[in-house]
């Protein structure tokens, strides 16, 4: 008999997101990043079992999408291939946790966490963010660059960028479909937790306070840099969520490279593996490790 993922021992544990334990991979929950204890997230840190000096390599920090499924937002194969890339030592998957609830994302804390990581990492990471999590990654990067000359980040890849107020027609047509009760049940099964609606409400409420990130997006001339001080790349699905105006604003702020090759199909999760997206992420790691 299939067990409800919301009432399994794992789902009710203090840290519910799964560990990637295979013949090649070892992972553990982590509550600190290079001496810093985030307030809105924790991590699943994964290394190769055969790599005893993993901490000497460059870390990769992954942010999930808004769904933040307990089973992970990226595939085991992708994690393994990132760790097999020369120069990469460890992969840290950020996961949301607010008021003790794993999967519940509270943007004010999450943005502060990412901004701190982007400003104070003694070993600069590679950053990869997708979908709803790309909002956090972009926001943290912008705040770090706004308040110091050089963020402590090697490079960043933003996949399937989402920005409130810059959604395209695809998103507006899709929203009624996602609000159906039958679809909400499927989303809960996919996530393994019921906190996506609260995360969405908290994100909209935070955005409506006109935080510094929003002011920069809406008024790019307010940026304190001439050219963004580290490489940032944008990668999209063929059918994605960001409007042309949103893409223009991202390029104005980050002076970023826009991948010309789109990922086939529509905006979706990478948990089961999307070969074209995985290949682009591995290539990014190889070029910047």
């Amino acid at each position: 008999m299939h067990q409800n993922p919301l009432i399994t021992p794992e789902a009710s544990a203090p840290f519910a997101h799964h560990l990637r334990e295979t013949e090649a991979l070892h992972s553990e929950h982590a509550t600190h990043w290079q001496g810093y204890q985030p307030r809105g997230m924790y991590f699943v840190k994964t290394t190769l079992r055969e790599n005893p000096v993993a901490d000497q390599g460059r870390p990769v920090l992954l942010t999930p999408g808004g769904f933040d499924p307990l089973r992970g937002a990226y595939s085991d194969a992708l994690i393994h291939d990132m760790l097999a890339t020369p120069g990469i030592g460890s992969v840290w998957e950020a996961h949301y946790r607010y008021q003790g609830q794993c999967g519940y994302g509270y943007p004010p804390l999450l943005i502060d966490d990412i901004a701190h990581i982007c400003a104070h990492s003694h070993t600069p990471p590679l950053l990869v963010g997708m979908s709803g999590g790309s909002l956090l990654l972009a926001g943290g990067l912008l705040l770090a660059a706004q308040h110091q000359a050089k963020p402590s980040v090697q490079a960043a890849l933003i996949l399937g960028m989402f920005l409130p107020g810059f959604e395209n027609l695809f998103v507006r047509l899709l929203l009624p479909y996602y609000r159906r009760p039958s679809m909400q049940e499927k989303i809960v099964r996919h996530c393994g937790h019921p906190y996506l609606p609260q995360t969405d409400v908290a994100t909209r409420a935070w955005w409506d306070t006109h935080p510094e990130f929003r002011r920069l997006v809406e008024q790019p001339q307010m940026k304190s840099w001439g050219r963004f001080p580290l490489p940032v790349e944008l990668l999209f699905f063929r059918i994605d969520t960001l409007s042309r105006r949103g893409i223009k604003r991202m390029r104005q702020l980050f002076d970023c490279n826009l991948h010309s090759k789109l990922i086939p199909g529509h905006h979706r999760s990478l948990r089961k593996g999307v070969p074209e997206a995985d290949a682009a992420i591995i290539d990014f790691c190889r070029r910047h490790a």
Side-chain angles (χ1 to χ4, degrees), residues 8-43:
T8 60
E10 179 188 24
S12 62
F15 303 114
H17 291 86
H18 83 303
L19 299 178
R20 298 182 183 274
E21 293 294 329
T22 70
E23 290 186 5
L25 301 178
H26 168 71
S27 66
E28 57 190 295
H29 292 126
T31 58
H32 290 71
W33 169 274
Q34 299 185 21
Y36 170 68
Q37 183 172 10
R39 295 183 299 157
M41 64 173 66
Y42 68 101
F43 310 97

PDB file of all heavy atoms in Angstrom, residues 8-43:
ATOM      1  N   THR A   8       4.899  10.222   6.387  1.00  0.00           N
ATOM      2  CA  THR A   8       6.007   9.304   6.563  1.00  0.00           C
ATOM      3  C   THR A   8       6.927   9.830   7.651  1.00  0.00           C
ATOM      4  O   THR A   8       6.964  11.027   7.930  1.00  0.00           O
ATOM      5  CB  THR A   8       6.815   9.156   5.263  1.00  0.00           C
ATOM      6  OG1 THR A   8       7.327  10.449   4.906  1.00  0.00           O
ATOM      7  CG2 THR A   8       5.974   8.603   4.149  1.00  0.00           C
ATOM      8  N   PRO A   9       7.711   8.967   8.296  1.00  0.00           N
ATOM      9  CA  PRO A   9       8.678   9.449   9.290  1.00  0.00           C
ATOM     10  C   PRO A   9       9.623  10.488   8.714  1.00  0.00           C
ATOM     11  O   PRO A   9       9.978  11.451   9.380  1.00  0.00           O
ATOM     12  CB  PRO A   9       9.415   8.164   9.700  1.00  0.00           C
ATOM     13  CG  PRO A   9       8.435   7.071   9.441  1.00  0.00           C
ATOM     14  CD  PRO A   9       7.675   7.505   8.214  1.00  0.00           C
ATOM     15  N   GLU A  10      10.039  10.290   7.459  1.00  0.00           N
ATOM     16  CA  GLU A  10      10.960  11.249   6.845  1.00  0.00           C
ATOM     17  C   GLU A  10      10.320  12.633   6.770  1.00  0.00           C
ATOM     18  O   GLU A  10      10.948  13.646   7.100  1.00  0.00           O
ATOM     19  CB  GLU A  10      11.351  10.794   5.439  1.00  0.00           C
ATOM     20  CG  GLU A  10      12.292  11.765   4.734  1.00  0.00           C
ATOM     21  CD  GLU A  10      12.521  11.419   3.286  1.00  0.00           C
ATOM     22  OE1 GLU A  10      11.659  10.746   2.683  1.00  0.00           O
ATOM     23  OE2 GLU A  10      13.543  11.834   2.742  1.00  0.00           O
ATOM     24  N   ALA A  11       9.056  12.697   6.339  1.00  0.00           N
ATOM     25  CA  ALA A  11       8.397  13.985   6.149  1.00  0.00           C
ATOM     26  C   ALA A  11       8.171  14.703   7.474  1.00  0.00           C
ATOM     27  O   ALA A  11       8.072  15.924   7.507  1.00  0.00           O
ATOM     28  CB  ALA A  11       7.072  13.808   5.418  1.00  0.00           C
ATOM     29  N   SER A  12       8.085  13.957   8.565  1.00  0.00           N
ATOM     30  CA  SER A  12       7.838  14.589   9.849  1.00  0.00           C
ATOM     31  C   SER A  12       9.123  14.863  10.626  1.00  0.00           C
ATOM     32  O   SER A  12       9.088  15.407  11.715  1.00  0.00           O
ATOM     33  CB  SER A  12       6.918  13.700  10.704  1.00  0.00           C
ATOM     34  OG  SER A  12       7.550  12.455  10.957  1.00  0.00           O
ATOM     35  N   ALA A  13      10.286  14.495  10.039  1.00  0.00           N
ATOM     36  CA  ALA A  13      11.568  14.714  10.696  1.00  0.00           C
ATOM     37  C   ALA A  13      11.948  16.188  10.631  1.00  0.00           C
ATOM     38  O   ALA A  13      11.427  16.943   9.813  1.00  0.00           O
ATOM     39  CB  ALA A  13      12.638  13.856  10.017  1.00  0.00           C
ATOM     40  N   PRO A  14      12.877  16.630  11.515  1.00  0.00           N
ATOM     41  CA  PRO A  14      13.291  18.034  11.484  1.00  0.00           C
ATOM     42  C   PRO A  14      13.815  18.472  10.121  1.00  0.00           C
ATOM     43  O   PRO A  14      13.553  19.574   9.674  1.00  0.00           O
ATOM     44  CB  PRO A  14      14.382  18.086  12.556  1.00  0.00           C
ATOM     45  CG  PRO A  14      14.057  16.975  13.493  1.00  0.00           C
ATOM     46  CD  PRO A  14      13.476  15.892  12.628  1.00  0.00           C
ATOM     47  N   PHE A  15      14.569  17.613   9.448  1.00  0.00           N
ATOM     48  CA  PHE A  15      15.055  17.911   8.108  1.00  0.00           C
ATOM     49  C   PHE A  15      14.533  16.831   7.169  1.00  0.00           C
ATOM     50  O   PHE A  15      15.013  15.705   7.169  1.00  0.00           O
ATOM     51  CB  PHE A  15      16.585  17.969   8.083  1.00  0.00           C
ATOM     52  CG  PHE A  15      17.144  18.980   9.041  1.00  0.00           C
ATOM     53  CD1 PHE A  15      17.886  18.572  10.133  1.00  0.00           C
ATOM     54  CD2 PHE A  15      16.904  20.326   8.864  1.00  0.00           C
ATOM     55  CE1 PHE A  15      18.397  19.502  11.028  1.00  0.00           C
ATOM     56  CE2 PHE A  15      17.395  21.273   9.750  1.00  0.00           C
ATOM     57  CZ  PHE A  15      18.143  20.854  10.834  1.00  0.00           C
ATOM     58  N   ALA A  16      13.546  17.188   6.378  1.00  0.00           N
ATOM     59  CA  ALA A  16      12.776  16.166   5.666  1.00  0.00           C
ATOM     60  C   ALA A  16      13.286  15.870   4.261  1.00  0.00           C
ATOM     61  O   ALA A  16      12.955  14.842   3.699  1.00  0.00           O
ATOM     62  CB  ALA A  16      11.302  16.597   5.586  1.00  0.00           C
ATOM     63  N   HIS A  17      14.062  16.784   3.664  1.00  0.00           N
ATOM     64  CA  HIS A  17      14.491  16.555   2.286  1.00  0.00           C
ATOM     65  C   HIS A  17      15.448  15.368   2.203  1.00  0.00           C
ATOM     66  O   HIS A  17      16.328  15.203   3.040  1.00  0.00           O
ATOM     67  CB  HIS A  17      15.134  17.813   1.717  1.00  0.00           C
ATOM     68  CG  HIS A  17      14.158  18.922   1.515  1.00  0.00           C
ATOM     69  ND1 HIS A  17      13.827  19.802   2.525  1.00  0.00           N
ATOM     70  CD2 HIS A  17      13.432  19.288   0.434  1.00  0.00           C
ATOM     71  CE1 HIS A  17      12.942  20.679   2.068  1.00  0.00           C
ATOM     72  NE2 HIS A  17      12.682  20.384   0.812  1.00  0.00           N
ATOM     73  N   HIS A  18      15.258  14.577   1.163  1.00  0.00           N
ATOM     74  CA  HIS A  18      15.948  13.296   1.077  1.00  0.00           C
ATOM     75  C   HIS A  18      17.445  13.462   0.897  1.00  0.00           C
ATOM     76  O   HIS A  18      17.923  14.464   0.373  1.00  0.00           O
ATOM     77  CB  HIS A  18      15.380  12.486  -0.093  1.00  0.00           C
ATOM     78  CG  HIS A  18      15.968  12.844  -1.422  1.00  0.00           C
ATOM     79  ND1 HIS A  18      15.943  14.117  -1.932  1.00  0.00           N
ATOM     80  CD2 HIS A  18      16.621  12.076  -2.327  1.00  0.00           C
ATOM     81  CE1 HIS A  18      16.539  14.117  -3.120  1.00  0.00           C
ATOM     82  NE2 HIS A  18      16.958  12.907  -3.372  1.00  0.00           N
ATOM     83  N   LEU A  19      18.191  12.455   1.350  1.00  0.00           N
ATOM     84  CA  LEU A  19      19.627  12.409   1.132  1.00  0.00           C
ATOM     85  C   LEU A  19      19.920  11.560  -0.098  1.00  0.00           C
ATOM     86  O   LEU A  19      19.211  10.593  -0.377  1.00  0.00           O
ATOM     87  CB  LEU A  19      20.325  11.827   2.358  1.00  0.00           C
ATOM     88  CG  LEU A  19      20.140  12.618   3.661  1.00  0.00           C
ATOM     89  CD1 LEU A  19      20.833  11.903   4.818  1.00  0.00           C
ATOM     90  CD2 LEU A  19      20.651  14.038   3.523  1.00  0.00           C
ATOM     91  N   ARG A  20      20.953  11.923  -0.815  1.00  0.00           N
ATOM     92  CA  ARG A  20      21.314  11.217  -2.052  1.00  0.00           C
ATOM     93  C   ARG A  20      22.381  10.168  -1.740  1.00  0.00           C
ATOM     94  O   ARG A  20      23.580  10.420  -1.885  1.00  0.00           O
ATOM     95  CB  ARG A  20      21.813  12.215  -3.092  1.00  0.00           C
ATOM     96  CG  ARG A  20      20.749  13.239  -3.496  1.00  0.00           C
ATOM     97  CD  ARG A  20      21.251  14.198  -4.569  1.00  0.00           C
ATOM     98  NE  ARG A  20      20.247  15.206  -4.886  1.00  0.00           N
ATOM     99  CZ  ARG A  20      19.269  15.048  -5.776  1.00  0.00           C
ATOM    100  NH1 ARG A  20      19.153  13.900  -6.427  1.00  0.00           N
ATOM    101  NH2 ARG A  20      18.405  16.020  -6.013  1.00  0.00           N
ATOM    102  N   GLU A  21      21.929   9.017  -1.274  1.00  0.00           N
ATOM    103  CA  GLU A  21      22.847   7.942  -0.915  1.00  0.00           C
ATOM    104  C   GLU A  21      22.819   6.874  -2.002  1.00  0.00           C
ATOM    105  O   GLU A  21      21.843   6.143  -2.153  1.00  0.00           O
ATOM    106  CB  GLU A  21      22.450   7.345   0.439  1.00  0.00           C
ATOM    107  CG  GLU A  21      22.632   8.292   1.613  1.00  0.00           C
ATOM    108  CD  GLU A  21      24.093   8.631   1.882  1.00  0.00           C
ATOM    109  OE1 GLU A  21      24.976   7.780   1.632  1.00  0.00           O
ATOM    110  OE2 GLU A  21      24.352   9.763   2.330  1.00  0.00           O
ATOM    111  N   THR A  22      23.899   6.803  -2.789  1.00  0.00           N
ATOM    112  CA  THR A  22      24.051   5.780  -3.824  1.00  0.00           C
ATOM    113  C   THR A  22      25.443   5.173  -3.673  1.00  0.00           C
ATOM    114  O   THR A  22      26.208   5.533  -2.775  1.00  0.00           O
ATOM    115  CB  THR A  22      23.891   6.382  -5.226  1.00  0.00           C
ATOM    116  OG1 THR A  22      25.027   7.229  -5.512  1.00  0.00           O
ATOM    117  CG2 THR A  22      22.608   7.220  -5.335  1.00  0.00           C
ATOM    118  N   GLU A  23      25.792   4.257  -4.567  1.00  0.00           N
ATOM    119  CA  GLU A  23      27.131   3.671  -4.519  1.00  0.00           C
ATOM    120  C   GLU A  23      28.208   4.736  -4.705  1.00  0.00           C
ATOM    121  O   GLU A  23      29.308   4.630  -4.163  1.00  0.00           O
ATOM    122  CB  GLU A  23      27.274   2.589  -5.596  1.00  0.00           C
ATOM    123  CG  GLU A  23      26.465   1.328  -5.318  1.00  0.00           C
ATOM    124  CD  GLU A  23      26.749   0.246  -6.340  1.00  0.00           C
ATOM    125  OE1 GLU A  23      27.639   0.463  -7.193  1.00  0.00           O
ATOM    126  OE2 GLU A  23      26.097  -0.808  -6.286  1.00  0.00           O
ATOM    127  N   ALA A  24      27.891   5.780  -5.478  1.00  0.00           N
ATOM    128  CA  ALA A  24      28.891   6.802  -5.785  1.00  0.00           C
ATOM    129  C   ALA A  24      28.751   8.070  -4.950  1.00  0.00           C
ATOM    130  O   ALA A  24      29.717   8.823  -4.792  1.00  0.00           O
ATOM    131  CB  ALA A  24      28.817   7.171  -7.267  1.00  0.00           C
ATOM    132  N   LEU A  25      27.543   8.334  -4.413  1.00  0.00           N
ATOM    133  CA  LEU A  25      27.276   9.607  -3.757  1.00  0.00           C
ATOM    134  C   LEU A  25      27.068   9.440  -2.258  1.00  0.00           C
ATOM    135  O   LEU A  25      26.444   8.475  -1.806  1.00  0.00           O
ATOM    136  CB  LEU A  25      26.019  10.262  -4.349  1.00  0.00           C
ATOM    137  CG  LEU A  25      26.023  10.572  -5.848  1.00  0.00           C
ATOM    138  CD1 LEU A  25      24.676  11.161  -6.261  1.00  0.00           C
ATOM    139  CD2 LEU A  25      27.159  11.522  -6.212  1.00  0.00           C
ATOM    140  N   HIS A  26      27.577  10.396  -1.512  1.00  0.00           N
ATOM    141  CA  HIS A  26      27.284  10.490  -0.085  1.00  0.00           C
ATOM    142  C   HIS A  26      26.724  11.874   0.193  1.00  0.00           C
ATOM    143  O   HIS A  26      27.243  12.878  -0.303  1.00  0.00           O
ATOM    144  CB  HIS A  26      28.538  10.292   0.768  1.00  0.00           C
ATOM    145  CG  HIS A  26      28.333  10.676   2.207  1.00  0.00           C
ATOM    146  ND1 HIS A  26      27.554   9.928   3.066  1.00  0.00           N
ATOM    147  CD2 HIS A  26      28.757  11.753   2.923  1.00  0.00           C
ATOM    148  CE1 HIS A  26      27.521  10.508   4.251  1.00  0.00           C
ATOM    149  NE2 HIS A  26      28.240  11.621   4.199  1.00  0.00           N
ATOM    150  N   SER A  27      25.650  11.951   0.986  1.00  0.00           N
ATOM    151  CA  SER A  27      25.094  13.257   1.307  1.00  0.00           C
ATOM    152  C   SER A  27      24.695  13.323   2.771  1.00  0.00           C
ATOM    153  O   SER A  27      24.509  12.297   3.435  1.00  0.00           O
ATOM    154  CB  SER A  27      23.900  13.590   0.396  1.00  0.00           C
ATOM    155  OG  SER A  27      22.822  12.715   0.627  1.00  0.00           O
ATOM    156  N   GLU A  28      24.571  14.560   3.262  1.00  0.00           N
ATOM    157  CA  GLU A  28      24.208  14.806   4.650  1.00  0.00           C
ATOM    158  C   GLU A  28      23.481  16.134   4.741  1.00  0.00           C
ATOM    159  O   GLU A  28      23.678  17.028   3.902  1.00  0.00           O
ATOM    160  CB  GLU A  28      25.458  14.837   5.526  1.00  0.00           C
ATOM    161  CG  GLU A  28      26.487  15.870   5.078  1.00  0.00           C
ATOM    162  CD  GLU A  28      27.815  15.725   5.796  1.00  0.00           C
ATOM    163  OE1 GLU A  28      27.822  15.934   7.021  1.00  0.00           O
ATOM    164  OE2 GLU A  28      28.816  15.409   5.124  1.00  0.00           O
ATOM    165  N   HIS A  29      22.611  16.263   5.734  1.00  0.00           N
ATOM    166  CA  HIS A  29      21.977  17.547   5.987  1.00  0.00           C
ATOM    167  C   HIS A  29      22.996  18.498   6.607  1.00  0.00           C
ATOM    168  O   HIS A  29      23.844  18.081   7.404  1.00  0.00           O
ATOM    169  CB  HIS A  29      20.779  17.386   6.923  1.00  0.00           C
ATOM    170  CG  HIS A  29      19.640  16.643   6.300  1.00  0.00           C
ATOM    171  ND1 HIS A  29      19.073  15.530   6.866  1.00  0.00           N
ATOM    172  CD2 HIS A  29      18.960  16.867   5.146  1.00  0.00           C
ATOM    173  CE1 HIS A  29      18.093  15.091   6.096  1.00  0.00           C
ATOM    174  NE2 HIS A  29      18.003  15.880   5.047  1.00  0.00           N
ATOM    175  N   ALA A  30      22.916  19.772   6.233  1.00  0.00           N
ATOM    176  CA  ALA A  30      23.824  20.780   6.770  1.00  0.00           C
ATOM    177  C   ALA A  30      23.023  22.032   7.106  1.00  0.00           C
ATOM    178  O   ALA A  30      22.138  22.437   6.345  1.00  0.00           O
ATOM    179  CB  ALA A  30      24.924  21.109   5.760  1.00  0.00           C
ATOM    180  N   THR A  31      23.340  22.624   8.249  1.00  0.00           N
ATOM    181  CA  THR A  31      22.625  23.820   8.688  1.00  0.00           C
ATOM    182  C   THR A  31      23.486  25.078   8.588  1.00  0.00           C
ATOM    183  O   THR A  31      23.006  26.168   8.894  1.00  0.00           O
ATOM    184  CB  THR A  31      22.153  23.664  10.143  1.00  0.00           C
ATOM    185  OG1 THR A  31      23.292  23.414  10.986  1.00  0.00           O
ATOM    186  CG2 THR A  31      21.168  22.504  10.261  1.00  0.00           C
ATOM    187  N   HIS A  32      24.762  24.931   8.156  1.00  0.00           N
ATOM    188  CA  HIS A  32      25.659  26.072   8.044  1.00  0.00           C
ATOM    189  C   HIS A  32      26.317  26.102   6.662  1.00  0.00           C
ATOM    190  O   HIS A  32      26.549  25.052   6.068  1.00  0.00           O
ATOM    191  CB  HIS A  32      26.754  26.028   9.116  1.00  0.00           C
ATOM    192  CG  HIS A  32      26.252  26.282  10.501  1.00  0.00           C
ATOM    193  ND1 HIS A  32      25.466  25.371  11.189  1.00  0.00           N
ATOM    194  CD2 HIS A  32      26.417  27.352  11.331  1.00  0.00           C
ATOM    195  CE1 HIS A  32      25.178  25.858  12.385  1.00  0.00           C
ATOM    196  NE2 HIS A  32      25.740  27.057  12.499  1.00  0.00           N
ATOM    197  N   TRP A  33      26.597  27.301   6.197  1.00  0.00           N
ATOM    198  CA  TRP A  33      27.346  27.495   4.948  1.00  0.00           C
ATOM    199  C   TRP A  33      28.594  28.315   5.279  1.00  0.00           C
ATOM    200  O   TRP A  33      28.513  29.493   5.579  1.00  0.00           O
ATOM    201  CB  TRP A  33      26.492  28.230   3.917  1.00  0.00           C
ATOM    202  CG  TRP A  33      27.281  28.684   2.723  1.00  0.00           C
ATOM    203  CD1 TRP A  33      27.989  29.851   2.579  1.00  0.00           C
ATOM    204  CD2 TRP A  33      27.468  27.961   1.494  1.00  0.00           C
ATOM    205  NE1 TRP A  33      28.595  29.902   1.349  1.00  0.00           N
ATOM    206  CE2 TRP A  33      28.293  28.752   0.664  1.00  0.00           C
ATOM    207  CE3 TRP A  33      27.008  26.730   1.032  1.00  0.00           C
ATOM    208  CZ2 TRP A  33      28.667  28.356  -0.615  1.00  0.00           C
ATOM    209  CZ3 TRP A  33      27.387  26.333  -0.244  1.00  0.00           C
ATOM    210  CH2 TRP A  33      28.200  27.129  -1.059  1.00  0.00           C
ATOM    211  N   GLN A  34      29.751  27.673   5.266  1.00  0.00           N
ATOM    212  CA  GLN A  34      31.032  28.344   5.489  1.00  0.00           C
ATOM    213  C   GLN A  34      30.976  29.265   6.717  1.00  0.00           C
ATOM    214  O   GLN A  34      31.359  30.435   6.677  1.00  0.00           O
ATOM    215  CB  GLN A  34      31.445  29.103   4.232  1.00  0.00           C
ATOM    216  CG  GLN A  34      31.631  28.181   3.021  1.00  0.00           C
ATOM    217  CD  GLN A  34      32.152  28.880   1.790  1.00  0.00           C
ATOM    218  OE1 GLN A  34      32.751  29.953   1.856  1.00  0.00           O
ATOM    219  NE2 GLN A  34      31.949  28.268   0.615  1.00  0.00           N
ATOM    220  N   GLY A  35      30.450  28.715   7.820  1.00  0.00           N
ATOM    221  CA  GLY A  35      30.386  29.443   9.077  1.00  0.00           C
ATOM    222  C   GLY A  35      29.120  30.242   9.306  1.00  0.00           C
ATOM    223  O   GLY A  35      28.887  30.738  10.419  1.00  0.00           O
ATOM    224  N   TYR A  36      28.280  30.365   8.281  1.00  0.00           N
ATOM    225  CA  TYR A  36      27.041  31.137   8.396  1.00  0.00           C
ATOM    226  C   TYR A  36      25.854  30.198   8.570  1.00  0.00           C
ATOM    227  O   TYR A  36      25.746  29.192   7.865  1.00  0.00           O
ATOM    228  CB  TYR A  36      26.851  31.991   7.144  1.00  0.00           C
ATOM    229  CG  TYR A  36      25.494  32.646   7.023  1.00  0.00           C
ATOM    230  CD1 TYR A  36      25.105  33.655   7.885  1.00  0.00           C
ATOM    231  CD2 TYR A  36      24.598  32.247   6.024  1.00  0.00           C
ATOM    232  CE1 TYR A  36      23.862  34.259   7.777  1.00  0.00           C
ATOM    233  CE2 TYR A  36      23.356  32.854   5.899  1.00  0.00           C
ATOM    234  CZ  TYR A  36      22.994  33.852   6.774  1.00  0.00           C
ATOM    235  OH  TYR A  36      21.757  34.446   6.667  1.00  0.00           O
ATOM    236  N   GLN A  37      24.957  30.521   9.497  1.00  0.00           N
ATOM    237  CA  GLN A  37      23.745  29.728   9.696  1.00  0.00           C
ATOM    238  C   GLN A  37      22.552  30.464   9.107  1.00  0.00           C
ATOM    239  O   GLN A  37      22.090  31.465   9.657  1.00  0.00           O
ATOM    240  CB  GLN A  37      23.491  29.453  11.179  1.00  0.00           C
ATOM    241  CG  GLN A  37      22.272  28.555  11.397  1.00  0.00           C
ATOM    242  CD  GLN A  37      22.126  28.124  12.848  1.00  0.00           C
ATOM    243  OE1 GLN A  37      22.809  28.637  13.727  1.00  0.00           O
ATOM    244  NE2 GLN A  37      21.237  27.165  13.088  1.00  0.00           N
ATOM    245  N   PRO A  38      22.037  29.998   7.966  1.00  0.00           N
ATOM    246  CA  PRO A  38      20.866  30.646   7.358  1.00  0.00           C
ATOM    247  C   PRO A  38      19.649  30.547   8.259  1.00  0.00           C
ATOM    248  O   PRO A  38      19.519  29.630   9.076  1.00  0.00           O
ATOM    249  CB  PRO A  38      20.667  29.852   6.058  1.00  0.00           C
ATOM    250  CG  PRO A  38      21.960  29.155   5.816  1.00  0.00           C
ATOM    251  CD  PRO A  38      22.532  28.877   7.160  1.00  0.00           C
ATOM    252  N   ARG A  39      18.728  31.482   8.071  1.00  0.00           N
ATOM    253  CA  ARG A  39      17.496  31.496   8.869  1.00  0.00           C
ATOM    254  C   ARG A  39      16.293  30.949   8.108  1.00  0.00           C
ATOM    255  O   ARG A  39      15.283  30.609   8.711  1.00  0.00           O
ATOM    256  CB  ARG A  39      17.200  32.918   9.335  1.00  0.00           C
ATOM    257  CG  ARG A  39      18.247  33.483  10.290  1.00  0.00           C
ATOM    258  CD  ARG A  39      17.849  34.860  10.772  1.00  0.00           C
ATOM    259  NE  ARG A  39      17.725  35.809   9.669  1.00  0.00           N
ATOM    260  CZ  ARG A  39      17.003  36.921   9.718  1.00  0.00           C
ATOM    261  NH1 ARG A  39      16.295  37.224  10.796  1.00  0.00           N
ATOM    262  NH2 ARG A  39      16.967  37.747   8.683  1.00  0.00           N
ATOM    263  N   GLY A  40      16.370  30.896   6.776  1.00  0.00           N
ATOM    264  CA  GLY A  40      15.223  30.466   5.989  1.00  0.00           C
ATOM    265  C   GLY A  40      15.437  29.192   5.197  1.00  0.00           C
ATOM    266  O   GLY A  40      14.546  28.768   4.461  1.00  0.00           O
ATOM    267  N   MET A  41      16.600  28.567   5.349  1.00  0.00           N
ATOM    268  CA  MET A  41      16.901  27.375   4.555  1.00  0.00           C
ATOM    269  C   MET A  41      17.909  26.502   5.286  1.00  0.00           C
ATOM    270  O   MET A  41      18.527  26.904   6.262  1.00  0.00           O
ATOM    271  CB  MET A  41      17.481  27.783   3.193  1.00  0.00           C
ATOM    272  CG  MET A  41      18.829  28.501   3.286  1.00  0.00           C
ATOM    273  SD  MET A  41      19.611  28.801   1.667  1.00  0.00           S
ATOM    274  CE  MET A  41      18.449  29.945   0.945  1.00  0.00           C
ATOM    275  N   TYR A  42      18.032  25.277   4.778  1.00  0.00           N
ATOM    276  CA  TYR A  42      19.138  24.400   5.155  1.00  0.00           C
ATOM    277  C   TYR A  42      19.577  23.693   3.882  1.00  0.00           C
ATOM    278  O   TYR A  42      19.107  24.021   2.787  1.00  0.00           O
ATOM    279  CB  TYR A  42      18.730  23.429   6.263  1.00  0.00           C
ATOM    280  CG  TYR A  42      17.713  22.384   5.870  1.00  0.00           C
ATOM    281  CD1 TYR A  42      18.090  21.078   5.577  1.00  0.00           C
ATOM    282  CD2 TYR A  42      16.356  22.701   5.814  1.00  0.00           C
ATOM    283  CE1 TYR A  42      17.150  20.112   5.242  1.00  0.00           C
ATOM    284  CE2 TYR A  42      15.417  21.743   5.477  1.00  0.00           C
ATOM    285  CZ  TYR A  42      15.820  20.454   5.188  1.00  0.00           C
ATOM    286  OH  TYR A  42      14.877  19.518   4.848  1.00  0.00           O
ATOM    287  N   PHE A  43      20.510  22.762   3.976  1.00  0.00           N
ATOM    288  CA  PHE A  43      21.123  22.201   2.777  1.00  0.00           C
ATOM    289  C   PHE A  43      21.185  20.680   2.834  1.00  0.00           C
ATOM    290  O   PHE A  43      21.232  20.073   3.903  1.00  0.00           O
ATOM    291  CB  PHE A  43      22.566  22.726   2.616  1.00  0.00           C
ATOM    292  CG  PHE A  43      22.693  24.210   2.728  1.00  0.00           C
ATOM    293  CD1 PHE A  43      23.070  24.795   3.928  1.00  0.00           C
ATOM    294  CD2 PHE A  43      22.435  25.038   1.643  1.00  0.00           C
ATOM    295  CE1 PHE A  43      23.184  26.160   4.047  1.00  0.00           C
ATOM    296  CE2 PHE A  43      22.542  26.410   1.753  1.00  0.00           C
ATOM    297  CZ  PHE A  43      22.921  26.975   2.951  1.00  0.00           C
TER     298      PHE A  43
END
